[in-house]
């Protein structure tokens, strides 16, 4: 079996996520695990970054992730970890506020939070996800 065998790895196509602007795979399922590339807060309809800062971007990322899960038949409740990247250290409170609203009715997953110098398209927030299919 080679590494591109569908039994080992399945590339996931999505019609609900904004189209990638760079060369990468938005999501890959490997066995029982799904790995979702870092998402920034792009509106899937307009392709524009959510206005109003880190809270709005975080909300849009989480909405996009939920749409992807619904499209693929996955469950947000099966998220194992989210890795949050923020451009600058002054946005943590905004990210946390949006995060708390999204997970108000369920236990949130494990989470890492990293501050970076810059993100694609001048985004304030990027989040990647790992979940069980």
């Amino acid at each position: 079996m080679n590494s591109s065998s569908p039994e080992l790895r399945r590339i996931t196509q999505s019609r609900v996520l904004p189209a990638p602007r760079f060369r990468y795979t938005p999501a890959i399922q490997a066995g029982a695990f799904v790995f979702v590339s870092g998402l920034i807060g792009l509106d899937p309809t307009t392709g524009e970054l959510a206005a109003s800062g880190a809270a709005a971007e975080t909300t849009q990322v989480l909405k996009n992730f939920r749409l992807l899960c619904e499209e693929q038949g996955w469950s947000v409740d099966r998220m194992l970890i989210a890795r949050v990247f923020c451009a600058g250290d002054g946005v943590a409170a905004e990210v946390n506020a949006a995060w708390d609203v999204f997970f108000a009715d369920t236990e949130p997953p494990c989470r890492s939070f990293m501050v970076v110098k810059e993100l694609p398209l001048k985004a304030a927030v990027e989040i990647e996800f790992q979940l069980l299919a």
Side-chain angles (χ1 to χ4, degrees):
M1 229 181 257
N2 66 38
S3 63
S4 64
S5 171
E7 293 82 25
L8 295 178
R9 185 178 94 144
R10 181 175 67 87
I11 306 297
T12 300
Q13 303 299 324
S14 175
R15 290 184 294 282
V16 298
L17 290 180
R21 304 240 181 126
F22 311 102
R23 185 166 164 70
Y24 66 93
T25 301
I28 292 178
Q29 184 171 342
F33 295 98
V34 176
F35 302 88
V36 179
S37 292
L39 302 176
I40 60 174
L42 294 176
D43 181 307
T45 306
T46 66
E48 298 296 320
L49 199 59
S52 304
E57 288 183 35
T58 301
T59 298
Q60 187 65 58
V61 167
L62 294 169
K63 283 180 182 178
N64 291 350
F65 177 68
R66 183 185 310 264
L67 287 172
L68 176 65
C69 286
E70 290 170 358
E71 176 191 49
Q72 300 297 323
W74 305 327
S75 173
V76 170
D77 294 336
R78 294 177 57 97
M79 187 189 324
L80 300 172
I81 189 167
R83 293 173 189 89
V84 181
F85 302 88
C86 292
D89 57 4
V91 299
E94 290 183 67
V95 171
N96 286 333
W99 184 268
D100 289 345
V101 168
F102 188 81
F103 289 106
D105 298 327
T106 187
E107 288 297 317
C110 295
R111 183 178 85 167
S112 299
F113 194 99
M114 291 143 288
V115 176
V116 298
K117 183 177 177 182
E118 189 174 357
L119 291 168
L121 306 177
K122 305 287 185 209
V125 178
E126 179 174 355
I127 307 175
E128 66 179 46
F129 304 91
Q130 184 176 343
L131 65 149
L132 291 171

